[in-house]
């Protein structure tokens, strides 16, 4: 078991000594099920600056699925598509479109973590399986979480050990190094994404509390914050959210459910285009330089939610009052890039949200830069959700 800390979570203690009995060490990777992994890989490389690092497909002995490993900072995305109609990715893409299937955690002992999770009430989706080759061995086992999403526990040995994998070494059996014409460009023009800061699950009405209880009981997470419909409401719609925290600075998972409003909640819109099945609403990637990252994403054609200019008429005073000092970054540049700002009692944060990254109004991406704040931008909720509603209206879904 290595004790290397995740790159961008240097303030975090290693989880294996922080009372997390599943011993979650890092977000190993986030796996998407997509219709065409080859083309998706190009999109994530081109739009978000990921390196297309490794591939497992027919040419590497993967007969059922094609998967691409994309890397940036300490983020690893795996894009998987089916090579035949009986593969689960084929069914899920038909039902849900492209989206997140698996949030996988590196652990010391995947079999042990799996057994513990199942003993605490988790539903197994894959029994412990060990794949061994000349490079090393990897044990994986998965349990179901909300809706379509699973958590896979992964323990790594030999040449697949976490430190080596993280440094760009072999990822999993059947994966081989590959390259893309975009890799050179991305190395020269980095976007600067560092790690998965948090990811948000959308669940159905009445399912937030049972999901939260599941994370507490099975995964050993704690309730970090609770936002009710008074915090997250506009004139038209509302939602409720509870933020679950793995502890040790590893990951936070807010769980959203729709709340009663005059019109349709954004969570309900998500569910309507996701076969009424819970799933990941957004992934938040952290950067330490929001201005550079967002400027680069704009250059690459990433589409962001737009806030009215009036937002910037009041935000500086609001945030400075809470902080006791001004936001350090260039205010004009923040405004020009459309970045949102909020503060809590610990500091401030900069954040921005993309439009959905597929045709269905389901998954989107958040870019977040933390300057001490460990919150989620509560002061922006109203402006943000009003902006989201304009998009909902454009789609005919409000
Ligand atoms: Fe978020």
């Amino acid at each position: 078991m290595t004790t290397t800390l995740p790159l961008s979570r240097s303030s975090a203690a290693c989880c294996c000594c922080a009372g997390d009995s599943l011993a979650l060490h890092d977000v190993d990777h986030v796996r998407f099920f997509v219709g065409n992994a080859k083309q998706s890989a190009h999109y994530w490389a081109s739009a978000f600056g990921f390196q297309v690092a490794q591939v497992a497909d027919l040419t590497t002995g993967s007969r059922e699925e094609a998967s691409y490993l994309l890397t940036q900072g300490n983020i690893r995305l795996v894009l998987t598509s089916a090579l035949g109609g009986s593969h689960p990715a084929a069914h899920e893409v038909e039902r849900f479109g492209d989206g997140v299937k698996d949030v996988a955690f590196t652990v010391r002992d995947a079999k042990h973590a799996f057994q513990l999770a199942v003993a605490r009430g988790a539903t197994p989706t894959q029994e412990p399986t060990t794949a061994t080759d000349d490079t090393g061995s990897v044990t994986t086992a998965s349990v179901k979480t909300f809706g379509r999403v699973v958590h896979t526990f992964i323990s790594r040995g030999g040449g697949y050990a976490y430190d080596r994998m993280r440094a760009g070494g072999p990822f999993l059996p059947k994966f081989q190094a590959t390259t893309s014409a975009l890799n050179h460009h991305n190395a020269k023009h980095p976007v600067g994404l560092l790690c998965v800061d948090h990811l948000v699950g959308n669940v159905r009405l009445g399912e937030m509390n049972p999901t939260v209880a599941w994370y507490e009981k099975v995964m050993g997470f704690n309730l970090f914050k609770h936002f009710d419909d008074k915090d997250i409401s506009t004139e038209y719609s509302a939602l409720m959210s509870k933020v679950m925290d793995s502890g040790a600075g590893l990951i936070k998972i807010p769980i959203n459910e729709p709340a009663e409003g005059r019109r349709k909640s954004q969570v309900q819109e998500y569910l309507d285009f996701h076969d009424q099945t819970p799933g990941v609403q957004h992934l938040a990637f952290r950067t330490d330089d929001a201005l550079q990252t967002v400027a680069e994403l704009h250059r690459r054609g990433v589409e962001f939610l737009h806030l009215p200019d009036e937002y910037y008429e009041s935000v500086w005073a609001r945030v400075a009052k809470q902080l006791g000092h001004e936001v350090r970054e260039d205010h004009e540049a923040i405004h020009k890039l459309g970045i949102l700002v909020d503060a809590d009692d610990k500091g401030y944060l900069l954040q921005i949200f993309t439009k959905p990254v597929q045709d269905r109004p389901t998954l989107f991406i958040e870019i977040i830069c933390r300057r001490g704040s460990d919150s989620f931008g509560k002061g922006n909720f109203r402006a943000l959700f009003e902006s989201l509603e304009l998009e909902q209206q454009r789609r005919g879904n409000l």
Side-chain angles (χ1 to χ4, degrees), residues 7 10 37 56 151 158 182 212 222 236 259 299 302 308 327:
L7 176 69
S10 52
H151 289 312
L182 292 166
V212 161
N222 294 307
Y236 294 129
R299 278 194 285 276
V302 172
V327 168

Side-chain angles (χ1 to χ4, degrees), residues 72-88:
Q72 185 171 174
N74 190 34
I75 307 165
R76 287 164 293 277
L77 304 183
V78 178
L79 308 170
T80 295
S81 59
L83 293 177
S86 59
H87 190 283

Side-chain angles (χ1 to χ4, degrees), residues 198-238:
H198 62 276
L199 62 97
V200 176
N202 276 349
V203 301
R204 291 174 289 234
L205 186 63
E207 290 181 350
M208 178 179 70
N209 285 329
T211 307
V212 161
W214 186 90
Y215 272 98
E216 283 174 336
K217 185 176 154 208
V218 173
M219 301 293 284
F221 284 29
N222 294 307
L223 179 65
F224 178 72
K225 270 190 170 60
H226 177 199
F227 302 108
D228 63 21
D229 48 353
K230 286 176 212 64
D231 296 315
I232 317 181
S233 68
T234 66
E235 187 186 349
Y236 294 129
S237 67

Side-chain angles (χ1 to χ4, degrees), residues 33 65 82 117-118 137 252 280 327 351:
F33 275 173
E65 62 185 45
V118 171
S137 77
K252 293 191 176 68
V280 173
V327 168
Q351 62 184 170

Side-chain angles (χ1 to χ4, degrees), residues 1-17 24-26 74 76 162-163 166 248-250:
M1 171 68 187
T2 173
T3 53
T4 305
L5 297 176
L7 176 69
S8 48
R9 302 181 179 102
S10 52
S11 60
C14 172
C15 329
C16 55
C17 44
L24 304 181
H25 182 67
D26 200 358
N74 190 34
R76 287 164 293 277
Y162 170 80
D163 283 353
R166 182 174 159 160
L250 184 64

